[in-house]
Amino acid sequence: QVQLVESGGGSVQAGDSLTLSCAVSPRTDVDYSMGWFRQAAGGEREGVAAIDFDGRTRYADSVQGRSAITKDNAKKTLYLQLTSLKPEDTAVYYCAADDDRMTTLQKLGMLPRYWGQGTEVTVSS
C-alpha cells in the first residue's frame, strides 16, 4: 500500500511561483511512476505532470513551459514547481502513483491507483 501526503499549497497572486511536495510512505520500496493531477471546483480531475520510474516526463499543455516535475528518490519525495501562476491554475492538486507509466496514464486520460488527499492552490488576479 502506497501512502502519499501532499504539502505546499496556499493562496498566491497571479504571476507568483509555487512548489508542491508529495512525501511517499517510507515503507514503500518500489520505484513507482508518479504524477500530479488537479481538480478545479465543478471540473474533472486532469493530469498536470508525470514522471515515470525511468525519468520520462510529460506535461499538460496548460502548464507546459512553466512547470517542472522532479523526484528525489533518496527523500522519497515528488515535487511540482509551478511558475507564472494564473487564476485558472486554481484547483486542488493531487499526488498520484502507479506501477504503470504515469506518462501513458495521463496521455490516455486514465486515473492511477494510488492517491494523496490533495492540497489546495488558489491564485488571485
Side-chain angles (χ1 to χ4, degrees):
Q1 184 72 23
V2 178
Q3 295 182 359
L4 308 169
V5 180
E6 302 96 332
S7 61
S11 297
V12 297
Q13 297 292 316
D16 286 350
S17 299
L18 196 66
T19 298
L20 305 179
S21 300
C22 173
V24 183
S25 167
R27 293 173 291 180
T28 301
D29 298 324
V30 177
D31 193 10
Y32 290 94
S33 289
M34 302 190 70
W36 291 93
F37 291 72
R38 68 185 181 187
Q39 187 168 16
E44 295 183 354
R45 195 166 296 190
E46 62 174 356
V48 176
I51 184 166
D52 291 337
F53 50 84
D54 59 0
R56 179 186 299 179
T57 59
R58 180 184 183 275
Y59 298 91
D61 291 343
S62 57
V63 299
Q64 180 74 45
R66 57 185 188 93
S67 63
I69 184 170
T70 57
K71 61 178 181 174
D72 186 326
N73 291 329
K75 295 182 178 179
K76 295 189 182 296
T77 302
L78 178 73
Y79 302 97
L80 179 67
Q81 183 180 21
L82 294 168
T83 62
S84 302
L85 283 161
K86 307 173 182 179
E88 50 263 45
D89 292 320
T90 295
V92 177
Y93 284 72
Y94 297 90
C95 173
D98 200 287
D99 297 330
D100 291 331
R101 286 187 176 274
M102 190 66 69
T103 56
T104 300
L105 293 176
Q106 288 196 356
K107 181 180 180 181
L108 297 177
M110 299 174 66
L111 298 180
R113 187 173 311 177
Y114 305 109
W115 293 91
Q117 82 289 348
T119 184
E120 189 167 2
V121 173
T122 302
V123 184
S124 301
S125 59

